[in-house]
Amino acid sequence: MASLLTFCAAALMEIAGCFAFWAWLRLDKSPLWLIPGMLALALFAYLLTLADSPLAGRAYAAYGGIYIASALAWGWAMEGNRPDHWDVIGAANCLVGLTVILFRPRPLPA
């Protein structure tokens, strides 16, 4: 369960950091937006290292489900773009994948 909270925090940092770059390049915001953007992306990378997984690739794969759902939520909350039913179905599929990857019993790697 701690990994889910870590993934949610990481997703917020990744999306916020990338959005800062988007705002600078696409929305003509000040280059000063890059400072918090880079800090958020560094915090995102750090947070992913806290995931309860012995394998980076598996942690990143599981995180992907949270990222996709969070990106759609960001688009709705920050940009007013309500997800349609296809977005919801796609995000739900990704969250099922997250559950399979993260919670399937498996032995620890040698």
Side-chain angles (χ1 to χ4, degrees), residues 25-97:
L25 288 173
R26 302 282 300 268
L27 303 177
D28 295 321
K29 299 292 183 183
S30 165
L32 293 175
W33 276 64
L34 298 177
I35 296 169
M38 288 185 284
L39 292 172
L41 289 172
L43 183 55
F44 149 71
Y46 170 73
L47 286 168
L48 277 186
T49 68
L50 302 178
D52 185 24
S53 175
L55 302 169
R58 187 169 288 144
Y60 302 158
Y63 163 73
I66 295 291
Y67 175 81
I68 290 167
S70 298
L72 291 172
W74 175 279
W76 191 2
M78 303 303 285
E79 299 177 284
N81 181 36
R82 184 175 184 198
D84 64 22
H85 71 281
W86 294 111
D87 294 327
V88 173
I89 290 168
N93 283 331
C94 294
L95 292 173
V96 168

